[in-house]
Amino acid sequence: MAVLDLLLLSILVLCALAAVRTRDLLGAVIIYAAYSLLMAIIWLQLGSPDVAITEAALGAGVTTILMIATISKTGRYE
Amino acid sequence: MRMQEILILKIVVRFVIPFIQVYGFYVITAGHLSPGGGFAGGTIVAASMVLYALTFDASQGLEKLSHERASLFESLGAIWYVALGLLGIMVGGNFLTNGQIGIPLGTPGYLISGGLIPLLSFGIGIKVAVTVVSLYYSLVEED
């Protein structure tokens, strides 16, 4: 399990860096959704399935939808 | 081509939404037995309603859940929680007293157990679902 944890955490850091550095805001939001999904799996690995369910529903679902709605109201490129 | 894609999307969403809502209500009602509870289940139910408003139109979704109805359900959820909490004070215990004032607790591990806790998560679930949906509507709405 340590190998899986290391893999997940390294992809998590990569996703965080990519979400900050991307110029395309829609792409950044989608990378952020992937970050949230990985974070949910990591919560499950850490032994808190309650937080994992909430993270998967809120972080990957609702936050992404709200951010995409904001992007559709404003501009896609910064 | 574009019309066909929208048709496929609409049919698939119409088929999938009941399953999402059943799962959300399962997470709410089994919140005292398994992971989940009012907040997580309410978010899943809200996600299904936002999916409806995304696929069809936001105005069509607003017909199902107008702002007046949304504020009514939000207030009902909060009042439900506070009323169940005040029940303990009325009878002579503390706020949200559960077993000590004679509420039947049921068998541990079964669906009907835990006294007030399933009723409380039901109120929280309704409030969270309606709040998230009205957040989306007030963001998308043309003004």
Side-chain angles (χ1 to χ4, degrees):
Chain A
M1 279 300 137
V3 180
L4 178 62
D5 281 353
L6 262 175
L7 188 67
L8 284 173
L9 285 170
S10 48
I11 302 176
L12 187 78
V13 171
L14 276 182
C15 278
L17 288 177
V20 174
R21 292 193 61 87
T22 316
R23 308 291 293 177
D24 184 2
L25 290 179
L26 190 62
V29 167
I30 290 173
I31 294 171
Y32 181 70
Y35 170 90
S36 254
L37 203 63
L38 283 170
M39 198 65 217
I41 302 172
I42 290 172
W43 284 126
L44 198 62
Q45 287 285 318
L46 291 174
S48 66
D50 201 345
V51 187
I53 288 181
T54 312
E55 176 82 38
L58 252 190
V62 175
T63 312
T64 310
I65 291 170
L66 289 182
M67 283 185 185
I68 288 177
T70 313
I71 286 176
S72 74
K73 283 268 164 181
T74 57
R76 182 171 166 179
Y77 297 95
E78 56 177 329
Chain B
M1 191 62 204
R2 178 138 182 83
M3 277 306 290
Q4 275 179 347
E5 284 168 6
I6 291 175
L7 184 69
I8 291 171
L9 184 69
K10 281 182 177 174
I11 288 174
V12 167
V13 162
R14 204 175 287 163
F15 184 72
V16 149
I17 277 179
F19 290 95
I20 302 176
Q21 287 186 344
V22 165
Y23 180 63
F25 280 113
Y26 165 74
V27 171
I28 291 176
T29 43
H32 56 301
L33 301 175
S34 60
F39 190 75
T43 321
I44 296 171
V45 175
S48 80
M49 291 196 255
V50 171
L51 183 65
Y52 180 85
L54 269 179
T55 314
F56 298 91
D57 207 23
S59 59
Q60 215 171 336
L62 261 179
E63 273 178 27
K64 303 251 182 216
L65 190 74
S66 62
H67 284 297
E68 291 81 23
R69 212 178 286 173
S71 59
L72 177 73
F73 274 113
E74 257 186 79
S75 316
L76 270 183
I79 288 172
W80 174 249
Y81 192 99
V82 174
L84 283 181
L86 286 179
L87 191 70
I89 294 183
M90 298 288 178
V91 183
N94 288 322
F95 191 71
L96 286 176
T97 309
N98 198 357
Q100 286 88 344
I101 58 171
I103 293 167
L105 285 182
T107 325
Y110 283 84
L111 186 61
I112 301 177
S113 65
L116 286 182
I117 297 173
L119 302 175
L120 291 176
S121 359
F122 195 69
I124 298 170
I126 288 177
K127 171 141 178 74
V128 170
V130 174
T131 305
V132 172
V133 174
S134 61
L135 259 181
Y136 174 73
Y137 283 149
S138 50
L139 196 60
V140 166
E141 216 177 20
E142 301 289 335
D143 45 7

